[in-house]
Amino acid sequence: MLKGIPSILSPELLKVLCEMGHSDRLVISDGNFPAESMGKDSIVIRLDGHGVPEVLEAVLKVFPLDEYIDEPVSLMEVVPGDPVETPIWDTYEKIVLKYDKRGKEAIGHIERFSFYDQAKTAYTIIATGERALYANIMLQKGVVQPEEQ
Amino acid sequence: MLKGIPSILSPELLKVLCEMGHSDRLVISDGNFPAESMGKDSIVIRLDGHGVPEVLEAVLKVFPLDEYIDEPVSLMEVVPGDPVETPIWDTYEKIVLKYDKRGKEAIGHIERFSFYDQAKTAYTIIATGERALYANIMLQKGVVQPEEQ
Amino acid sequence: MLKGIPSILSPELLKVLCEMGHSDRLVISDGNFPAESMGKDSIVIRLDGHGVPEVLEAVLKVFPLDEYIDEPVSLMEVVPGDPVETPIWDTYEKIVLKYDKRGKEAIGHIERFSFYDQAKTAYTIIATGERALYANIMLQKGVVQPEEQ
Amino acid sequence: MLKGIPSILSPELLKVLCEMGHSDRLVISDGNFPAESMGKDSIVIRLDGHGVPEVLEAVLKVFPLDEYIDEPVSLMEVVPGDPVETPIWDTYEKIVLKYDKRGKEAIGHIERFSFYDQAKTAYTIIATGERALYANIMLQKGVVQPEEQ
Amino acid sequence: MLKGIPSILSPELLKVLCEMGHSDRLVISDGNFPAESMGKDSIVIRLDGHGVPEVLEAVLKVFPLDEYIDEPVSLMEVVPGDPVETPIWDTYEKIVLKYDKRGKEAIGHIERFSFYDQAKTAYTIIATGERALYANIMLQKGVVQPEEQ
Amino acid sequence: MLKGIPSILSPELLKVLCEMGHSDRLVISDGNFPAESMGKDSIVIRLDGHGVPEVLEAVLKVFPLDEYIDEPVSLMEVVPGDPVETPIWDTYEKIVLKYDKRGKEAIGHIERFSFYDQAKTAYTIIATGERALYANIMLQKGVVQPEEQ
Amino acid sequence: MLKGIPSILSPELLKVLCEMGHSDRLVISDGNFPAESMGKDSIVIRLDGHGVPEVLEAVLKVFPLDEYIDEPVSLMEVVPGDPVETPIWDTYEKIVLKYDKRGKEAIGHIERFSFYDQAKTAYTIIATGERALYANIMLQKGVVQPEEQ
Amino acid sequence: MLKGIPSILSPELLKVLCEMGHSDRLVISDGNFPAESMGKDSIVIRLDGHGVPEVLEAVLKVFPLDEYIDEPVSLMEVVPGDPVETPIWDTYEKIVLKYDKRGKEAIGHIERFSFYDQAKTAYTIIATGERALYANIMLQKGVVQPEEQ
Amino acid sequence: MLKGIPSILSPELLKVLCEMGHSDRLVISDGNFPAESMGKDSIVIRLDGHGVPEVLEAVLKVFPLDEYIDEPVSLMEVVPGDPVETPIWDTYEKIVLKYDKRGKEAIGHIERFSFYDQAKTAYTIIATGERALYANIMLQKGVVQPEEQ
Amino acid sequence: MLKGIPSILSPELLKVLCEMGHSDRLVISDGNFPAESMGKDSIVIRLDGHGVPEVLEAVLKVFPLDEYIDEPVSLMEVVPGDPVETPIWDTYEKIVLKYDKRGKEAIGHIERFSFYDQAKTAYTIIATGERALYANIMLQKGVVQPEEQ
């Protein structure tokens, strides 16, 4: 553990977040996501037993979202016809707003298989134990501003 | 790079500082210190080209000093009879004071060969390019307080 | 994740718990414990961001305590004169009782440095993010009875 | 060994089953299957000397079948004209029914070379010593329901 | 699998049995034996889910017992006062007799902690899932006679 | 060395032969064959100083030839116009006949570059020191029959 | 550290610069460049906390620029319409002139995505902590002349 | 294979013989010698299926015996009272004489357990398939004379 | 060092030359050749500080040139219009003639970029410190004749 | 190769010289020295085919000798009674004098077995092909002065 850094960020996760650069992507996946097979060319970091929101909150404390694109945060679009509710998205919007003034505007939705394709080329996949549906979320790293250090 | 974390802390160094626990020791060594041979059982992290003060300042921003012992910071005692001046120690005192209210009181001096013996069992040695004399410094990690996260 | 197995048990932890045998010891350590340096000869598994009780509960669901010794559970004795309270021990007693009929009787207390010495030879150390004091706990594995499978 | 987990599931197999996610596939192969060459991009786990049924039974105790597709279990179609009998399939149907209410309906048959192609992209291949003919079986992992843990 | 070689002997086990030489020792351990910690300096081979007798029978088919010592087979002595029965020893005697004309005479019993000490320096430990008590057995390899090949 | 297994089969070769399955191919190459470059995706096992016939004989003692194809043994066709004699092929025929009732009928000849292409995808290449011309030989593994163990 | 060699050149960087040959390319990247993902097929060397100019100066002291092409130094072209200023380029010109008589003439500008494509095939990427905009720079190694040693 | 070098010397063996220096020792062991366990701190090279004499002859073609000690060749003394014959020693004497003018005089005999102790500290152990008794032989490397290259 | 083998052939080079087979290619490159990047799929062996001729001479002492093709030795064609002299080629011709009766006839010249393409698929690249121009040379290994050993 | 650095210093050697610190020792050994066995705990760097003087000269160009001890250069004392001449020592004295004003005074002689003991704890051993007698030399690294960079 370190001062000023959320303790949920494991040593290895901290290293990986730090070595990512502008435009690298990160997936925080739910407990049933096939993180290991999707992430064969990525770095898979396990945070078993945690939910996505607490991980998202901790990550955004140190990780800037890309300001050069409109929607640096991506969620998986609900499959047409699926009556599922996605209350966890509201939670995500609130967390994003705490760390990026664009808030909800910074969040886009992409079609399921496009999401998978992008996940396969992400720099990192964090595997959580989240149980909510449609909970996977992808973040694109922005530039760390000098005044932020 | 990450928000709120000094950019001189490399990804690997951040990982190592984070995985250290209460009572683990860290050496920030000068440019002529035999870091690789002293650190055969440690993790040696190279920060070539940097001075010790800038590394010390960055480390202390995230790394608490041990409050369970009187002198969690150690310098190498000047060899009796050696007329050398150690102005860099004043710099160290000021930096320590910024992050630990004990300031100078938290700094002890140990005999040269004891210093080497303790360095050999440190968890990490950071090898800098510092040119000042008697510039090696050893830190013992304290407890991260809940209110610090 | 698997059916019937707590999701906080990561794949690697499950593997390690399974390969341990009768009399092997396991430490669940708090967030400031020097798990990596203590565990140089052990397998260190990180469960950053979790508390010890939730890990203990999940471990005991699959991990039998040794019935051949009186106190297969060990806590670190309070240092004489230290006025600290240890409310987390009550939580531990309740959890142990759920999985072992001996309950509190199965829990012993050992002197601090003996605890450290035994931790160094444990098979595994699980590093959590627990903030409570005197929260480290050591378990000795028992025999899996045929009727338990 | 662990409480409540079949002892035939080796530590490494338990780890792999646990890290698989929704839609990852697993092959339990017979003793003559070229598991190592088919599995160059998979994780091959050896359970020499065991038959497929006992492995299948143990796996299904912890591993949910995919409910999002009709036939999460696949057998290799008998080559047209081959008069072989496949009594082991009856055994498989009974075991599947114990763990998935769809029973026999959840089992599909695919052409031999398609089976091989899918086996090459499976996450894991378990190599057994099974001697029965047409005994290879492929399972697609489903979602672990919260109430199952 | 290979012609003339029991299929329970995994490829790796076959390799290890073959590379052992005169006087090297092998332990076949039960399911609760701490094989991984005892075998830190050995090669541990897992045969989860099997009993010791079937492994012993397969091993002795290819592995000669040392004829230069009286008791190349060792069992762990029953702790004085322990009323336990050890019916599995009878099974062992019959199996040994099939492959070594000395039969029961080739089997010795050694005190528990001596057994552990010798296990730690064995060349290999085979971890089975055997549930019987006092089932661990140690074999010392003999010379392969030219007429045996 | 092991009882009943030819001593020329090294521990590693035994392991590899055992882990091969139905339809995997094996090349026994002569002393000038570029085994390491051809075998970049295979397992190369060196038996320097031996001839191919003695290796072939030992391999066939434990390794069944594929009965599902007509010619599980392949030799490299003599380049048209090359007046070379290939007396070693007679030796091969005799050895094959000892272990497979099809004898010479089980041996096919394939064009030189096709041979090389197939060698590159073989599971294993055994590099011998054989000096005879056209001595490379490729074997396709068959099914181990239950009565053979 | 070594005599006559800038101390900012770490041991590993020195090794890599030395093993590069004529026409191999090197990128010195700024602090937000995705060095690790761009450099998956390269050797990534971290010099966190340093600016590009001090690294460039040290590298050119030992590293000749290619004299067989016109512009062995490449900068990333300003995206058309971007009003950004690039004062660091003047610094680069002065440094290049100190070590290569062509000075500014040796510096070319390439379109952003071409720059990225070339960076991916560079032999090495040095990741600095530089904060200036458009600060990435690529160097192509030339021939070391005999009179230079 | 190479011109002028016996083909029984495998690529790896050639490398090891070449990197040995003055006073390093080499054991050529018979087929029942526990080469892997004796050689835990050595480099073990397998030449399965060969006899010791053919290996000894090939080794001595390139490997000088130490001329600074009287008996650079060591055999294991016959255990007092053992009526065994050691005809292979005559073969060894003839081979040594071909490469070292001291012949039989260069060969000493050491007590069995001393032989084992020295074998454990040898640089290399070559494991052959030799069946003769008392066939293990140890060689101490000498100085390569300039006129020998 | 070994008797009868040039001491410039390092242990590792000797191993690699020995494991190469008929038709494998070897490049001896000059000091500015990008050996490490060209050789990403090859084995790169460094002989820093040596010239090509002394390495060529030593290699040819043990390495036969391919007699099945006309020009087993390749030099890089002088770029049309380049007035450079290539006196080192005369040296190469003399050395080749000492070891292959075809002498100069065995040497071909190939266009620069074809040379690079072939270098990339060579089995080995030896990186020397040669300063002469057009000094890179490629050799194709031939068959070792029985009478040569 | 690099500008201003002798080309005989290989990339890896340059790295190792650079990472050594004050008081670390380096051995440059002759061609018969058992460098690999002496250097089991050191980094062994091979410079086969070179003499010690050319290596010594290149090393001293970048490597300062320790000024805190009287004799940072050590040679192996001639064994009493040995009439050998050591002309190479004169060469060493001249080379040392070029780089250290103490010249011959900086060179000490230590007894043979003490030399071996110190060699075993050296940071690096450079194995050359030197043929002269008593040619091994050991250097202790000094402090790099700021004005030297």
Side-chain angles (χ1 to χ4, degrees), chain H residues 99-118:
Chain H
Y99 297 98
D100 191 290
K101 62 180 181 296
R102 290 171 290 180
K104 185 177 178 175
E105 301 304 312
I107 305 177
H109 298 75
I110 54 185
E111 189 273 333
R112 188 183 174 204
F113 290 104
S114 300
F115 189 93
Y116 286 154
D117 283 349
Q118 291 192 30

PDB file of all heavy atoms in Angstrom, chain H residues 99-118:
ATOM      1  N   TYR H  99      46.059 -41.328 -26.170  1.00  0.00           N
ATOM      2  CA  TYR H  99      45.983 -39.864 -26.133  1.00  0.00           C
ATOM      3  C   TYR H  99      46.890 -39.217 -25.095  1.00  0.00           C
ATOM      4  O   TYR H  99      47.021 -38.008 -25.065  1.00  0.00           O
ATOM      5  CB  TYR H  99      44.540 -39.424 -25.895  1.00  0.00           C
ATOM      6  CG  TYR H  99      43.655 -39.843 -27.025  1.00  0.00           C
ATOM      7  CD1 TYR H  99      42.880 -40.998 -26.949  1.00  0.00           C
ATOM      8  CD2 TYR H  99      43.642 -39.111 -28.216  1.00  0.00           C
ATOM      9  CE1 TYR H  99      42.098 -41.411 -28.021  1.00  0.00           C
ATOM     10  CE2 TYR H  99      42.860 -39.508 -29.284  1.00  0.00           C
ATOM     11  CZ  TYR H  99      42.100 -40.666 -29.185  1.00  0.00           C
ATOM     12  OH  TYR H  99      41.342 -41.061 -30.253  1.00  0.00           O
ATOM     13  N   ASP H 100      47.482 -40.022 -24.219  1.00  0.00           N
ATOM     14  CA  ASP H 100      48.333 -39.460 -23.180  1.00  0.00           C
ATOM     15  C   ASP H 100      49.480 -40.432 -22.974  1.00  0.00           C
ATOM     16  O   ASP H 100      49.256 -41.606 -22.645  1.00  0.00           O
ATOM     17  CB  ASP H 100      47.525 -39.281 -21.886  1.00  0.00           C
ATOM     18  CG  ASP H 100      48.275 -38.468 -20.844  1.00  0.00           C
ATOM     19  OD1 ASP H 100      49.276 -38.998 -20.310  1.00  0.00           O
ATOM     20  OD2 ASP H 100      47.895 -37.315 -20.582  1.00  0.00           O
ATOM     21  N   LYS H 101      50.708 -39.960 -23.130  1.00  0.00           N
ATOM     22  CA  LYS H 101      51.854 -40.876 -23.117  1.00  0.00           C
ATOM     23  C   LYS H 101      52.043 -41.578 -21.770  1.00  0.00           C
ATOM     24  O   LYS H 101      52.705 -42.604 -21.687  1.00  0.00           O
ATOM     25  CB  LYS H 101      53.128 -40.131 -23.509  1.00  0.00           C
ATOM     26  CG  LYS H 101      53.522 -39.019 -22.590  1.00  0.00           C
ATOM     27  CD  LYS H 101      54.794 -38.314 -23.039  1.00  0.00           C
ATOM     28  CE  LYS H 101      55.184 -37.212 -22.064  1.00  0.00           C
ATOM     29  NZ  LYS H 101      54.186 -36.123 -21.999  1.00  0.00           N
ATOM     30  N   ARG H 102      51.441 -41.039 -20.712  1.00  0.00           N
ATOM     31  CA  ARG H 102      51.555 -41.692 -19.408  1.00  0.00           C
ATOM     32  C   ARG H 102      50.762 -43.000 -19.350  1.00  0.00           C
ATOM     33  O   ARG H 102      51.005 -43.860 -18.516  1.00  0.00           O
ATOM     34  CB  ARG H 102      51.048 -40.759 -18.296  1.00  0.00           C
ATOM     35  CG  ARG H 102      51.955 -39.580 -18.066  1.00  0.00           C
ATOM     36  CD  ARG H 102      51.311 -38.589 -17.117  1.00  0.00           C
ATOM     37  NE  ARG H 102      50.184 -37.903 -17.747  1.00  0.00           N
ATOM     38  CZ  ARG H 102      49.439 -36.977 -17.141  1.00  0.00           C
ATOM     39  NH1 ARG H 102      49.713 -36.631 -15.886  1.00  0.00           N
ATOM     40  NH2 ARG H 102      48.438 -36.397 -17.769  1.00  0.00           N
ATOM     41  N   GLY H 103      49.766 -43.122 -20.198  1.00  0.00           N
ATOM     42  CA  GLY H 103      48.955 -44.344 -20.222  1.00  0.00           C
ATOM     43  C   GLY H 103      48.428 -44.728 -18.860  1.00  0.00           C
ATOM     44  O   GLY H 103      47.923 -43.890 -18.105  1.00  0.00           O
ATOM     45  N   LYS H 104      48.594 -46.006 -18.526  1.00  0.00           N
ATOM     46  CA  LYS H 104      48.076 -46.571 -17.284  1.00  0.00           C
ATOM     47  C   LYS H 104      48.516 -45.804 -16.027  1.00  0.00           C
ATOM     48  O   LYS H 104      47.820 -45.770 -15.018  1.00  0.00           O
ATOM     49  CB  LYS H 104      48.570 -48.013 -17.213  1.00  0.00           C
ATOM     50  CG  LYS H 104      48.062 -48.816 -16.065  1.00  0.00           C
ATOM     51  CD  LYS H 104      48.585 -50.248 -16.174  1.00  0.00           C
ATOM     52  CE  LYS H 104      48.130 -51.088 -14.995  1.00  0.00           C
ATOM     53  NZ  LYS H 104      48.536 -52.506 -15.185  1.00  0.00           N
ATOM     54  N   GLU H 105      49.689 -45.190 -16.126  1.00  0.00           N
ATOM     55  CA  GLU H 105      50.196 -44.449 -14.960  1.00  0.00           C
ATOM     56  C   GLU H 105      49.317 -43.249 -14.606  1.00  0.00           C
ATOM     57  O   GLU H 105      49.373 -42.736 -13.490  1.00  0.00           O
ATOM     58  CB  GLU H 105      51.634 -43.940 -15.220  1.00  0.00           C
ATOM     59  CG  GLU H 105      52.630 -45.021 -15.513  1.00  0.00           C
ATOM     60  CD  GLU H 105      52.661 -46.041 -14.383  1.00  0.00           C
ATOM     61  OE1 GLU H 105      52.737 -45.616 -13.210  1.00  0.00           O
ATOM     62  OE2 GLU H 105      52.560 -47.265 -14.668  1.00  0.00           O
ATOM     63  N   ALA H 106      48.563 -42.781 -15.580  1.00  0.00           N
ATOM     64  CA  ALA H 106      47.732 -41.599 -15.346  1.00  0.00           C
ATOM     65  C   ALA H 106      46.413 -41.948 -14.668  1.00  0.00           C
ATOM     66  O   ALA H 106      45.599 -41.067 -14.388  1.00  0.00           O
ATOM     67  CB  ALA H 106      47.467 -40.892 -16.673  1.00  0.00           C
ATOM     68  N   ILE H 107      46.221 -43.249 -14.421  1.00  0.00           N
ATOM     69  CA  ILE H 107      44.942 -43.697 -13.874  1.00  0.00           C
ATOM     70  C   ILE H 107      45.056 -44.076 -12.412  1.00  0.00           C
ATOM     71  O   ILE H 107      45.867 -44.924 -12.043  1.00  0.00           O
ATOM     72  CB  ILE H 107      44.415 -44.920 -14.667  1.00  0.00           C
ATOM     73  CG1 ILE H 107      44.322 -44.581 -16.162  1.00  0.00           C
ATOM     74  CG2 ILE H 107      43.061 -45.369 -14.123  1.00  0.00           C
ATOM     75  CD1 ILE H 107      43.891 -45.734 -17.058  1.00  0.00           C
ATOM     76  N   GLY H 108      44.232 -43.422 -11.574  1.00  0.00           N
ATOM     77  CA  GLY H 108      44.229 -43.752 -10.150  1.00  0.00           C
ATOM     78  C   GLY H 108      42.915 -44.412  -9.759  1.00  0.00           C
ATOM     79  O   GLY H 108      41.964 -44.448 -10.547  1.00  0.00           O
ATOM     80  N   HIS H 109      42.885 -44.931  -8.543  1.00  0.00           N
ATOM     81  CA  HIS H 109      41.657 -45.558  -8.059  1.00  0.00           C
ATOM     82  C   HIS H 109      41.283 -44.920  -6.745  1.00  0.00           C
ATOM     83  O   HIS H 109      42.125 -44.818  -5.854  1.00  0.00           O
ATOM     84  CB  HIS H 109      41.867 -47.067  -7.862  1.00  0.00           C
ATOM     85  CG  HIS H 109      42.197 -47.751  -9.142  1.00  0.00           C
ATOM     86  ND1 HIS H 109      43.444 -47.643  -9.721  1.00  0.00           N
ATOM     87  CD2 HIS H 109      41.440 -48.496  -9.998  1.00  0.00           C
ATOM     88  CE1 HIS H 109      43.443 -48.327 -10.865  1.00  0.00           C
ATOM     89  NE2 HIS H 109      42.252 -48.839 -11.062  1.00  0.00           N
ATOM     90  N   ILE H 110      40.041 -44.508  -6.608  1.00  0.00           N
ATOM     91  CA  ILE H 110      39.652 -43.890  -5.351  1.00  0.00           C
ATOM     92  C   ILE H 110      38.460 -44.618  -4.755  1.00  0.00           C
ATOM     93  O   ILE H 110      37.676 -45.234  -5.448  1.00  0.00           O
ATOM     94  CB  ILE H 110      39.363 -42.386  -5.497  1.00  0.00           C
ATOM     95  CG1 ILE H 110      38.336 -42.100  -6.571  1.00  0.00           C
ATOM     96  CG2 ILE H 110      40.656 -41.641  -5.803  1.00  0.00           C
ATOM     97  CD1 ILE H 110      38.142 -40.611  -6.812  1.00  0.00           C
ATOM     98  N   GLU H 111      38.418 -44.515  -3.465  1.00  0.00           N
ATOM     99  CA  GLU H 111      37.409 -45.222  -2.678  1.00  0.00           C
ATOM    100  C   GLU H 111      36.013 -44.766  -3.135  1.00  0.00           C
ATOM    101  O   GLU H 111      35.785 -43.612  -3.463  1.00  0.00           O
ATOM    102  CB  GLU H 111      37.678 -44.925  -1.191  1.00  0.00           C
ATOM    103  CG  GLU H 111      36.858 -45.740  -0.218  1.00  0.00           C
ATOM    104  CD  GLU H 111      35.533 -45.063   0.053  1.00  0.00           C
ATOM    105  OE1 GLU H 111      35.469 -43.828  -0.073  1.00  0.00           O
ATOM    106  OE2 GLU H 111      34.554 -45.785   0.349  1.00  0.00           O
ATOM    107  N   ARG H 112      35.069 -45.697  -3.070  1.00  0.00           N
ATOM    108  CA  ARG H 112      33.724 -45.476  -3.617  1.00  0.00           C
ATOM    109  C   ARG H 112      33.056 -44.173  -3.193  1.00  0.00           C
ATOM    110  O   ARG H 112      32.582 -43.405  -4.012  1.00  0.00           O
ATOM    111  CB  ARG H 112      32.834 -46.657  -3.192  1.00  0.00           C
ATOM    112  CG  ARG H 112      31.481 -46.647  -3.846  1.00  0.00           C
ATOM    113  CD  ARG H 112      30.641 -47.814  -3.312  1.00  0.00           C
ATOM    114  NE  ARG H 112      29.290 -47.750  -3.801  1.00  0.00           N
ATOM    115  CZ  ARG H 112      28.235 -48.292  -3.204  1.00  0.00           C
ATOM    116  NH1 ARG H 112      28.419 -48.977  -2.069  1.00  0.00           N
ATOM    117  NH2 ARG H 112      27.033 -48.165  -3.713  1.00  0.00           N
ATOM    118  N   PHE H 113      33.005 -43.905  -1.892  1.00  0.00           N
ATOM    119  CA  PHE H 113      32.278 -42.715  -1.454  1.00  0.00           C
ATOM    120  C   PHE H 113      33.032 -41.421  -1.769  1.00  0.00           C
ATOM    121  O   PHE H 113      32.429 -40.373  -1.977  1.00  0.00           O
ATOM    122  CB  PHE H 113      31.889 -42.840   0.017  1.00  0.00           C
ATOM    123  CG  PHE H 113      30.828 -43.891   0.211  1.00  0.00           C
ATOM    124  CD1 PHE H 113      31.131 -45.146   0.725  1.00  0.00           C
ATOM    125  CD2 PHE H 113      29.516 -43.637  -0.202  1.00  0.00           C
ATOM    126  CE1 PHE H 113      30.154 -46.126   0.864  1.00  0.00           C
ATOM    127  CE2 PHE H 113      28.536 -44.624  -0.074  1.00  0.00           C
ATOM    128  CZ  PHE H 113      28.857 -45.856   0.453  1.00  0.00           C
ATOM    129  N   SER H 114      34.371 -41.514  -1.819  1.00  0.00           N
ATOM    130  CA  SER H 114      35.127 -40.342  -2.254  1.00  0.00           C
ATOM    131  C   SER H 114      34.819 -40.067  -3.723  1.00  0.00           C
ATOM    132  O   SER H 114      34.707 -38.912  -4.152  1.00  0.00           O
ATOM    133  CB  SER H 114      36.632 -40.586  -2.109  1.00  0.00           C
ATOM    134  OG  SER H 114      36.936 -40.848  -0.779  1.00  0.00           O
ATOM    135  N   PHE H 115      34.689 -41.150  -4.461  1.00  0.00           N
ATOM    136  CA  PHE H 115      34.355 -40.997  -5.878  1.00  0.00           C
ATOM    137  C   PHE H 115      33.013 -40.261  -6.016  1.00  0.00           C
ATOM    138  O   PHE H 115      32.883 -39.310  -6.785  1.00  0.00           O
ATOM    139  CB  PHE H 115      34.273 -42.372  -6.547  1.00  0.00           C
ATOM    140  CG  PHE H 115      34.147 -42.291  -8.048  1.00  0.00           C
ATOM    141  CD1 PHE H 115      35.272 -42.345  -8.872  1.00  0.00           C
ATOM    142  CD2 PHE H 115      32.895 -42.137  -8.662  1.00  0.00           C
ATOM    143  CE1 PHE H 115      35.158 -42.269 -10.261  1.00  0.00           C
ATOM    144  CE2 PHE H 115      32.770 -42.051 -10.046  1.00  0.00           C
ATOM    145  CZ  PHE H 115      33.904 -42.116 -10.843  1.00  0.00           C
ATOM    146  N   TYR H 116      32.036 -40.683  -5.221  1.00  0.00           N
ATOM    147  CA  TYR H 116      30.735 -40.010  -5.290  1.00  0.00           C
ATOM    148  C   TYR H 116      30.853 -38.526  -4.932  1.00  0.00           C
ATOM    149  O   TYR H 116      30.267 -37.669  -5.573  1.00  0.00           O
ATOM    150  CB  TYR H 116      29.738 -40.686  -4.348  1.00  0.00           C
ATOM    151  CG  TYR H 116      29.238 -42.025  -4.833  1.00  0.00           C
ATOM    152  CD1 TYR H 116      28.785 -42.998  -3.949  1.00  0.00           C
ATOM    153  CD2 TYR H 116      29.196 -42.324  -6.202  1.00  0.00           C
ATOM    154  CE1 TYR H 116      28.312 -44.227  -4.393  1.00  0.00           C
ATOM    155  CE2 TYR H 116      28.721 -43.556  -6.648  1.00  0.00           C
ATOM    156  CZ  TYR H 116      28.280 -44.511  -5.742  1.00  0.00           C
ATOM    157  OH  TYR H 116      27.816 -45.708  -6.186  1.00  0.00           O
ATOM    158  N   ASP H 117      31.624 -38.262  -3.866  1.00  0.00           N
ATOM    159  CA  ASP H 117      31.743 -36.870  -3.444  1.00  0.00           C
ATOM    160  C   ASP H 117      32.366 -36.012  -4.534  1.00  0.00           C
ATOM    161  O   ASP H 117      31.947 -34.881  -4.777  1.00  0.00           O
ATOM    162  CB  ASP H 117      32.600 -36.778  -2.163  1.00  0.00           C
ATOM    163  CG  ASP H 117      31.806 -37.208  -0.948  1.00  0.00           C
ATOM    164  OD1 ASP H 117      30.575 -37.357  -1.074  1.00  0.00           O
ATOM    165  OD2 ASP H 117      32.415 -37.404   0.113  1.00  0.00           O
ATOM    166  N   GLN H 118      33.380 -36.560  -5.189  1.00  0.00           N
ATOM    167  CA  GLN H 118      34.008 -35.783  -6.260  1.00  0.00           C
ATOM    168  C   GLN H 118      33.073 -35.657  -7.462  1.00  0.00           C
ATOM    169  O   GLN H 118      33.065 -34.639  -8.149  1.00  0.00           O
ATOM    170  CB  GLN H 118      35.327 -36.419  -6.673  1.00  0.00           C
ATOM    171  CG  GLN H 118      36.395 -36.285  -5.584  1.00  0.00           C
ATOM    172  CD  GLN H 118      37.786 -36.649  -6.098  1.00  0.00           C
ATOM    173  OE1 GLN H 118      38.087 -36.478  -7.266  1.00  0.00           O
ATOM    174  NE2 GLN H 118      38.614 -37.156  -5.217  1.00  0.00           N
TER     175      GLN H 118
END
